[in-house]
Each structure stands twice: as C-alpha cells, then as structure tokens.
Amino acid sequence: MSEIKYYSEEGLQKLKDELHQLIAFDRPAAAAAIAEARDKGDLSENAEYDAAKEAQGHLEARISKLQDLVANARLLDESKIDTSKVLLLSIITIRNIKNGATQRYTIVPESEANLKEAKISITSPFASAFLGHKVGDMVEVNVPAGKMTFELKKIER
C-alpha cells in the first residue's frame, strides 16, 4: 500500500497534467520509436531497438509512479487552514533578527517545494522550525552557517 500524500490544488493538477502528457503523447511516441527500430532488421544487434525499449521501460515506470501518487493523493482544503499558527500551506513573513532582512515563504508538501518560487518543503529543517509558531514568536533555526533567529511577522493562507 502506498503512502498518502497531501497536495495543494495546484500541485495535484501538475501531477495530473504530467501523467496525461506521458500517457497521451509520450507513450505513443515510445511505441513508434520501438516499431521504427524493429523495422531496421536484426533485433539481436540493434542498439536503437534496445535503447527504445529501455526508454519505454523508464516511461512506464514513471507512469506507474504517477498513477500511484494520484490515486493516493489527498487535496488540502486551504479554506480550513488555521492562520493563527504556522501549518502546511501557510504563507509566512519572517524577519532575520541579525540583519533585519524580511523574507516571505509558503510552506508546501515536499513534492511542491521550489526555492525560486519561495515554496519550502514542510519536511525541511527550516520550515519545520516554524511549525506551530504564532505571529510575534522568535524562532531559532539551525542553518549550515550556525543558529539564526527570526521573528515571525505574519501568517497568511
């Protein structure tokens, strides 16, 4: 049995879109590549055929994994998120006590993390340090450079 994972609506839609792309377009392309390689003659010495079959195997493994993820996915109801403390899908604004820099992050499921979009994984040490805290709390975070202290300025959903 697979593990149940929670996703935002956007994150679950990305999984479904990728699965659709793989099944509707990539799978037929892989089958065509195999057929084309098969038409080139002796399969025992046909590297192109072997490569096409291997690529198909990787594709089918990815499709299987995505189908499993989608089947066991649970959608988070963002309207029911408590904004009085930091939880999954909270958007937090923090201030570094040492240098006064302010940063804003969204705490997301691990599969949706993207630092360029300021989305940090709930399983990361940084995000998990803020879980359960309220506005005004001072939060100490262990980072590679040492311990840093942040003030939790704002929590949104």
Side-chain angles (χ1 to χ4, degrees), residues 134-148:
K134 298 177 185 263
V135 171
D137 285 356
M138 296 296 175
V139 180
E140 198 170 85
V141 180
N142 288 318
V143 295
K147 289 187 179 185
M148 296 180 73

Side-chain angles (χ1 to χ4, degrees), residues 49-59:
Y49 177 78
D50 291 340
K53 287 294 283 183
E54 186 175 334
Q56 181 189 39
H58 291 297
L59 174 67

Side-chain angles (χ1 to χ4, degrees), residues 15-156:
L15 283 180
K16 289 179 178 179
D17 290 346
E18 181 182 354
L19 181 58
H20 174 72
Q21 169 70 31
L22 294 176
I23 291 173
F25 301 102
D26 296 357
R27 184 184 267 168
I34 290 170
E36 183 180 324
R38 189 177 318 138
D39 291 343
K40 293 187 179 177
D42 184 12
L43 297 182
S44 65
E45 296 179 13
N46 189 333
E48 190 175 330
Y49 177 78
D50 291 340
K53 287 294 283 183
E54 186 175 334
Q56 181 189 39
H58 291 297
L59 174 67
E60 291 301 326
R62 180 68 182 153
I63 288 171
S64 178
K65 181 178 179 183
L66 284 173
Q67 286 174 328
D68 189 49
L69 285 173
V70 169
N72 293 295
R74 298 296 180 267
L75 193 59
L76 290 166
D77 185 351
E78 296 182 47
S79 67
K80 294 183 178 176
I81 294 176
D82 179 4
T83 57
S84 69
K85 60 185 175 185
V86 179
L87 301 168
L88 183 62
L89 295 185
S90 292
I91 301 168
I92 60 172
T93 303
I94 58 174
R95 184 176 63 86
N96 184 324
I97 298 302
K98 189 173 185 177
N99 64 18
T102 303
Q103 299 159 311
R104 187 172 187 251
Y105 295 106
T106 303
I107 299 178
V108 297
E110 188 173 353
S111 61
E112 297 179 38
N114 183 336
L115 198 52
K116 290 180 182 176
E117 296 176 5
K119 294 179 177 181
I120 55 175
S121 168
I122 192 166
T123 60
S124 71
F126 191 82
S128 62
F130 289 94
L131 292 178
H133 284 277
K134 298 177 185 263
V135 171
D137 285 356
M138 296 296 175
V139 180
E140 198 170 85
V141 180
N142 288 318
V143 295
K147 289 187 179 185
M148 296 180 73
T149 304
F150 296 89
E151 178 185 7
L152 185 55
K153 299 292 285 179
K154 187 175 184 182
I155 303 171
E156 305 169 61

